[in-house]
Structure formats: structure tokens, C-alpha cells
Amino acid sequence: MTCIFSCLRSTSLNASMANMKSLPSGALAPRTSLVGTPLRAGCTKSRRQIEQWQTRAIAAPERTYDVLDKAEESRLQETDAFAELVHLSKKQSVNKPQKGELDFRQSPTFHDCFPGSEKCYTEIEHNGSTLRVPFRRVHLTEDAGHFDLYDTSGPQGVSAREGLPKIRAEWVAKRDARGDKVQTQQFYAKQGVITEEMAFCAARERIEPEFIRSEVARGRAIIPANKRHTELEPTVVGRAFLVKVNANIGNSAVSSSIEEEVEKLQWSTIWGADTAMDLSTGANIHETREWVMRNSPVPVGTVPIYQCLEKAGGIVENITWELFRETLIEQAEQGVDYFTIHAGVLLRHIPLTANRVTGIVSRGGSIHAKLCLLDHTENFAYMHWDEILDICAEYDISLSIGDGLRPGCIADANDAAQFAELKTQGELTRRAWARDVQVMNEGPGHVPLHKIPENMEKQLDWCSEAPFYTLGPLATDIAPAYDHITSAIGAATIGALGTALLCYVTPKEHLGLPNRDDVKAGVIAYKIAAHAADLAKGHPYAQEWDNALSKARFEFRWYDQFNLSLDPVTARLFHDATLPQEPAKTAHFCSMCGPKFCSMQITQELRDYAQKHQIDEGQAAEAGMAQMSEQFKSVGAEVYLDEATVEVNA
């Protein structure tokens, strides 16, 4: 699932760059707390925690940008934006070929991110193999036991330079030794075979392996698992299971490095990303992907046409089917688990985009469209679909059929171009199933809430219930810098209707390449959306998590409330910003209501009264109101009393 990136216009970009001076880094001032208020004397523990967790305050620019004179503006309009960007500052982070030793930073550990939790494994015996299935165990206070959660963080304490353990090597080797010519999960499922991957996913989902097998055989679920990606901890994607979240990473021609992309991968998986896509478009694409694959515990997807464009020197006209096929095999050998291929962008669909507000916003879609128009020929990915299926079948690579004509703004939602491509996706899906290749379909995009149900209905109908994989959708276009929120609203809505995989959006969407902190913001927003969708679908285990946290909240078990949350560190920091003292962790109130207005404390007092007098809560409330009524009458039934009367009846 590709991100949407705005085109760089030389006027706007260079006007900003030419007059931009270094902005504050966002580091905390010496005596400033997380929310910008002075820290109290003696609160060194709170400050150390803030430094350790690398929490940043928001710093406003010290000055506004100057207005360009007309001569400079005219010059910049005729200048190449990227060349100007490089020229303006030698310190500007511009992606260049990697040289020398890689310098991987130490990422925050599992314990740093989830205090009070333990990384655990369930051991499952299957076909002579021992499967170690991960989960996060939250240890609760006050003899409340523990609570177990789905975990995607991967093996801990492993150096990025060494890569993750190859837990699937034994499984794949057994199939090779048997001489299995086809090793796709769908092939085995159709034969009635429950693979190690299916058993692994079943343990994670807490369901019977046979149900996983039946859904994969039917095509309603996929387990993206290239036989070359032996470091993978398998996950199942389908609407009958937990809604999954994808995190996009990858460099650009402007920014990032191999180390940063590996760090973003690790950061996304520790916060809950179920899959990742390496969407690199800059230098070192092959090398970046190799490091990502060897350090990824989750399925990794790519958009192969991006690397084709790099190989073609950035010239679309130089991309051929032969180059594309070569790239597919190269990425297959590295272990890529699913390909996004925009084979549904057909020549006859392109004119349908002519009157759109934002035209074709998919990078892959626009490349294929241009190739179609250059020689007025059909999309080569569509024409060579069977050959693509042969490659995918050999390695067990799932296909994520791209939505190259998705709407890039609210005005273009649900138009003829979008739905024409979706219908073609259905045809391609059924052709893939005929060759035992796993498939999911990609969807929009930018869609207002009232138009979202039509997308889900048509996808289920036209694509024969294959898993749906959507970018958002963004429910409105008015909030640059907050599109992780605008899109999570749409994601929760379409997830509740049956979408299986939600592609996250970060705060940087439409604005720039996300960094590690943006990745976390995007993942957390989408974990919320996915869980909200699971609740709406009535997933049998979804509400257990809500119930556990709600009970901890009602019983004022503050540490449990922090540790059961998606982001325990931030939850605690917000609480401690006003009540950092240790006794506040047992207090029956927070700074929102204080000790006298806490509704939960009042409710507890009501329950204690009812228990003491051996009556139910309703009777207790009625008794209390009757008692106060009698007291009101005893002082003359007057609304206002003099001070002497109040003192006598106190």
C-alpha cells in the first residue's frame, strides 16, 4: 500500500528553504516539563524518565519566513527544486549511496516501552516442530493476576547487524526435502494440510487451526510468508480475524539511511505493526531492503515498480516488462512476502481520471498509466499476469493488487475510475486463486464516511471476499499534520465493515518523509482504529482488554491502567505531569476532578453504603435521597439558611 506524496513545486519548496534558518530541535528546556510547565523542585525522577523515553516538547518557530521578492520568486520557478535544495545547505539530509560501516542505534527495549510487562512464549508442538508463539504478559497489581496481549515486537536483545533468528528455516527445509513443487499456504490449505504457519497464527489468534486453514483455502484470508523470509513470525490477514495494521517505511531521494529505516521497522513492530512495507525510492534500495528483511519479524511488502524506476535512471520510458520481471525475482530471493502490483490500471481506465481534482495520486498507478499512454498499449503487468503468478507461486509471495486509481481527495471518492479498477482486481484475484497464489485487494484513499460502505460492499462482491487492504481512508482533507487522525476515523469505520488490513498514515502524510516518532504516532492511531473495529465486529476476545483496563481504572489501580494501555509510557507521563508524587499512584482521584468530584469514588462509596446496609445500589441511592429529604424538611424546607441554623445541623 503506497503512501500519497505531494509533488514538489519549486516555488513553494525553495521559498521555504531559501529563507529557513535552523529551528529548535524540540529538546526540553532545562526546567520545563512535558507540558511546558515548570518542574517542581526534587522531581529529578520525572526528568530522568522524560530523557530516557526521549519525549519531546513542541517548540514553535522563533520567526516567520520572509516574503520573497519577485526576482527571486521568478528565478526559483525556473529552478529544479531538488537541485536547489541540495545547493542551499550542505547539512541538508540528502540520501546518498551508503559508505563505510553502518552505525545502528540502540533502540528502546521492550521493557522501556512496556514497563510492568514481560515478553513470553507459548510452545506448540506441530508436525514434529516446536513453535514458540510470542505474547506480552502484563503483570497486574493487588493480586489481580496478569493479562496477555498479542505481540509483534519480535525477538529481543538481538543485534541488527546479526539479524533475527531463522525460526522458519526448519519448516521450509522439510518441504524442500519432500520435493514439494508448490509451497504456497493456499495450496496446502486446499489439500487439507495445516502448515506450521497456520498453527502459529491459530495460537496467536486463540482459535482452532482448522478454521485458519479453511479461510486460507477459500481465499478469505492470507498468510504472507515468502519461503526465503525465514525470520518471519507468521500472521493471518482476513476479516474473520483480528484487524491488522501495516506500517510504511522506506527512504526517499531526499532523506533517510539504512540505519534509520531499520530503526523505523523496529519501532513500528514494537508498538504493534503487524506488517511493514519498504517503499524506498532513493539510493540503496536493494541494500536497505536486505537489512529490513533480515531484521523483520513481520511480513514485508514492496512496490517493485519503484525499484524499476531507480534501475531505469528515473526515466519512466526506460521501464520494460523484462526489467520488471528481473526486479520481481530479485526481491523474491530476498524474501519479500507480498508485492503491490498495479495490474488493474488498464488503458481504458485512464481517461476516467481526466476530470478529477487530484488526478492519479498513486506513484505506482501513475507510472503504469504513463507507460500505457506512451505507446498506447495495455498495462504490461496485466498482460503478463500469469508470469507474475508463476513467480509468486514458486516463492509463496502474496499479491496485494494495487489501487493505482484510488481517490486522492474527497471530491474524487467513489468515482468511475476507482471502481473500474476495483472490478478488474476481482478478475485478477480469481486468476491468482486458480494457481494457488494468495491475494488481497488494495483500496482507497480519501473517502467521506457516508461513502465508505459502498467500497466494502463492492469489494466483497466483485473480489469474491478476498481480504481488503485500505489506506485509511482519510475522512476529510482539511487537516495536514493530523492525517493520522483523519485517516484513523475512516480506518475504524471500514475496519468495522470488514477490511482486514489497515495501512497506517502518519502525521507527515502529504508533508514529508516520516521519522521514527511519526511512525509511532501512526501505529498507535491505527492500533486504536483496528481495536475499535474488532469491538464493532464482535470479536470474541476484543472486549476482554477493554474490560481489564476499565476495571483497573474503577479500582484506582493506576499502574495497571498505565501498563494495560497501548502506550504505557505516555499514559504515565500524562498522569505524572500534574501528580508525579508516588502516593498519587494509589490516590482515588486524578488532577481532572480532584478528591471531591471523582464520579468513580462516589460510586464506590455508594456501593460500600449498600453493602453495609445489605441493600442493593438502587435502594441505597433511594435511602440516601430520603435521608437528605428529611434533613431538608427538618430545617424548615428553606433553600437558604442562616449561619446559626447551619452550625446547629452540621
Side-chain angles (χ1 to χ4, degrees):
M1 180 66 65
T2 58
C3 286
I4 306 164
F5 285 87
S6 302
C7 294
L8 296 177
R9 292 184 59 196
S10 56
T11 301
S12 58
L13 175 66
N14 294 306
S16 299
M17 291 300 301
N19 295 280
M20 187 184 296
K21 77 174 189 177
S22 297
L23 300 179
S25 65
L28 294 173
R31 298 295 295 174
T32 302
S33 73
L34 173 67
V35 293
T37 55
L39 287 170
R40 298 176 183 176
C43 290
T44 55
K45 181 178 180 182
S46 179
R47 181 175 295 106
R48 283 199 303 271
Q49 289 170 335
I50 291 173
E51 292 171 353
Q52 176 184 356
W53 295 319
Q54 300 175 336
T55 306
R56 295 179 178 177
I58 297 174
E62 295 180 349
R63 68 178 181 90
T64 57
Y65 304 137
D66 299 330
V67 178
L68 290 176
D69 61 42
K70 294 199 175 202
E72 178 66 0
E73 183 174 359
S74 176
R75 182 187 73 80
L76 290 172
Q77 285 178 335
E78 299 174 359
T79 301
D80 176 79
F82 182 67
E84 184 73 11
L85 183 150
V86 176
H87 171 72
L88 285 170
S89 174
K90 292 181 180 179
K91 295 181 181 180
Q92 174 67 33
S93 175
V94 176
N95 200 352
K96 300 174 182 177
Q98 200 86 16
K99 295 180 180 179
E101 284 290 317
L102 297 178
D103 183 20
F104 293 103
R105 289 197 303 178
Q106 173 61 49
S107 293
T109 66
F110 182 90
H111 181 70
D112 290 335
C113 298
F114 300 110
S117 292
E118 179 185 3
K119 175 94 176 186
C120 297
Y121 291 86
T122 297
E123 291 195 349
I124 306 292
E125 295 297 326
H126 183 79
N127 289 342
S129 297
T130 301
L131 318 182
R132 300 185 73 241
V133 182
F135 63 93
R136 172 162 73 98
R137 172 159 290 176
V138 184
H139 295 285
L140 306 177
T141 61
E142 300 181 18
D143 298 321
H146 61 261
F147 193 83
D148 295 339
L149 293 167
Y150 197 105
D151 177 73
T152 63
S153 62
Q156 298 298 297
V158 179
S159 165
R161 196 173 297 281
E162 296 174 2
L164 300 181
K166 300 182 181 299
I167 66 169
R168 292 179 64 227
E170 178 189 350
W171 313 348
V172 174
K174 285 194 295 186
R175 296 163 196 165
D176 289 338
R178 287 197 305 261
D180 295 0
K181 292 184 179 179
V182 180
Q183 297 187 15
T184 72
Q185 295 298 311
Q186 190 175 93
F187 170 78
Y188 288 122
K190 288 177 179 178
Q191 308 306 310
V193 175
I194 295 173
T195 63
E196 287 84 354
E197 289 83 357
M198 295 174 201
F200 194 101
C201 293
R204 292 185 110 171
E205 299 274 338
R206 292 194 282 172
I207 58 176
E208 289 299 316
E210 171 57 25
F211 183 60
I212 297 267
R213 186 208 63 77
S214 64
E215 289 293 288
V216 172
R218 172 59 180 78
R220 281 192 294 250
I222 67 171
I223 301 175
N226 185 331
K227 66 181 185 179
R228 295 283 191 266
H229 187 190
T230 54
E231 299 85 353
L232 175 70
E233 295 177 344
T235 190
V236 63
V237 176
R239 78 179 195 276
F241 309 106
L242 292 168
V243 177
K244 304 304 190 297
V245 172
N246 172 71
N248 287 339
I249 61 173
N251 67 27
S252 76
V254 175
S255 182
S256 199
S257 65
I258 290 172
E259 296 95 326
E260 288 174 87
E261 295 312 313
V262 170
E263 184 179 42
K264 284 192 278 186
L265 168 73
Q266 294 170 331
W267 201 227
S268 63
T269 56
I270 204 164
W271 293 114
D274 300 281
T275 71
M277 289 199 76
D278 178 6
L279 304 181
S280 293
T281 58
N284 312 301
I285 290 181
H286 180 94
E287 293 82 1
T288 299
R289 186 172 55 247
E290 183 65 27
W291 283 99
V292 165
M293 295 306 310
R294 304 289 71 83
N295 283 281
S296 180
V298 302
V300 175
T302 63
V303 185
I305 198 74
Y306 293 174
Q307 189 177 9
C308 284
L309 187 59
E310 182 208 30
K311 291 179 176 181
I315 301 172
V316 173
E317 292 87 334
N318 291 344
I319 298 176
T320 64
W321 158 247
E322 290 73 22
L323 181 64
F324 190 74
R325 182 179 182 278
E326 169 196 296
T327 303
L328 293 181
I329 295 172
E330 172 189 338
Q331 297 191 5
E333 282 290 330
Q334 286 186 291
V336 171
D337 300 292
Y338 62 97
F339 289 147
T340 289
I341 299 179
H342 303 86
V345 178
L346 302 185
L347 180 62
R348 63 180 179 272
H349 298 160
I350 299 169
L352 300 176
T353 67
N355 294 321
R356 280 182 164 186
V357 172
T358 55
I360 300 175
V361 298
S362 161
R363 290 183 290 191
S366 64
I367 292 169
H368 280 286
K370 185 173 182 179
L371 287 168
C372 288
L373 294 176
L374 282 170
D375 298 313
H376 207 72
T377 55
E378 192 52 274
N379 185 338
F380 66 63
Y382 180 84
M383 298 301 293
H384 292 274
W385 190 243
D386 288 343
E387 293 171 73
I388 292 171
L389 295 177
D390 289 341
I391 294 170
C392 292
E394 180 180 351
Y395 293 87
D396 193 10
I397 299 170
S398 299
L399 279 165
S400 182
I401 307 178
D403 54 340
L405 301 181
R406 68 175 176 270
C409 64
I410 293 299
D412 297 338
N414 292 22
D415 69 356
Q418 176 193 342
F419 286 146
E421 182 187 22
L422 182 61
K423 205 157 200 175
T424 305
Q425 284 194 36
E427 173 207 332
L428 296 169
T429 296
R430 289 180 286 276
R431 287 172 59 185
W433 286 346
R435 292 175 179 247
D436 299 324
V437 173
Q438 302 183 96
V439 177
M440 58 184 170
N441 308 119
E442 294 190 5
H446 294 237
V447 183
L449 291 179
H450 65 288
K451 291 187 176 182
I452 287 177
E454 185 181 8
N455 284 266
M456 194 72 242
E457 291 162 8
K458 281 182 164 52
Q459 190 274 336
L460 288 172
D461 181 17
W462 294 347
C463 301
S464 305
E465 301 183 80
F468 205 20
Y469 172 26
T470 61
L471 179 72
L474 284 75
T476 177
D477 293 338
I478 65 169
Y482 297 93
D483 277 333
H484 59 310
I485 298 174
T486 65
S487 63
I489 293 168
T493 303
I494 204 165
L497 295 171
T499 286
L501 179 59
L502 303 172
C503 183
Y504 86 166
V505 171
T506 75
K508 289 278 182 64
E509 185 76 0
H510 305 104
L511 302 173
L513 190 72
N515 61 23
R516 193 190 75 170
D517 295 336
D518 301 319
V519 165
K520 178 185 174 184
V523 171
I524 294 294
Y526 271 67
K527 293 300 287 185
I528 295 169
H531 185 74
D534 288 331
L535 286 171
K537 291 194 306 181
H539 190 284
Y541 302 115
Q543 193 173 329
E544 289 182 1
W545 191 356
D546 295 77
N547 293 347
L549 198 148
S550 297
K551 193 170 189 297
R553 179 176 290 152
F554 185 74
E555 294 173 358
F556 297 97
R557 290 185 279 119
W558 287 103
Y559 282 113
D560 292 348
Q561 188 181 161
F562 303 151
N563 295 338
L564 283 166
S565 69
L566 282 168
D567 182 1
V569 172
T570 300
R572 178 172 177 175
L573 283 174
F574 281 13
H575 173 274
D576 289 1
T578 48
L579 291 172
Q581 300 85 356
E582 195 60 29
K585 306 301 189 301
T586 56
H588 283 213
F589 62 89
C590 70
S591 63
M592 180 73 175
C593 299
K596 299 296 185 182
F597 287 86
C598 179
S599 58
M600 291 191 177
Q601 176 60 22
I602 294 169
T603 302
Q604 286 192 4
E605 291 170 356
L606 178 64
R607 289 182 176 180
D608 291 342
Y609 180 90
Q611 185 176 13
K612 179 179 178 181
H613 294 83
Q614 297 184 336
I615 56 179
D616 62 35
E617 292 178 31
Q619 291 174 319
E622 290 177 6
M625 288 188 284
Q627 180 180 344
M628 294 307 296
S629 174
E630 289 300 320
Q631 185 175 346
F632 178 66
K633 293 174 183 176
S634 70
V635 294
E638 295 292 337
V639 176
Y640 300 105
L641 304 176
D642 57 45
E643 292 182 5
T645 304
V646 172
E647 290 177 3
V648 169
N649 289 275

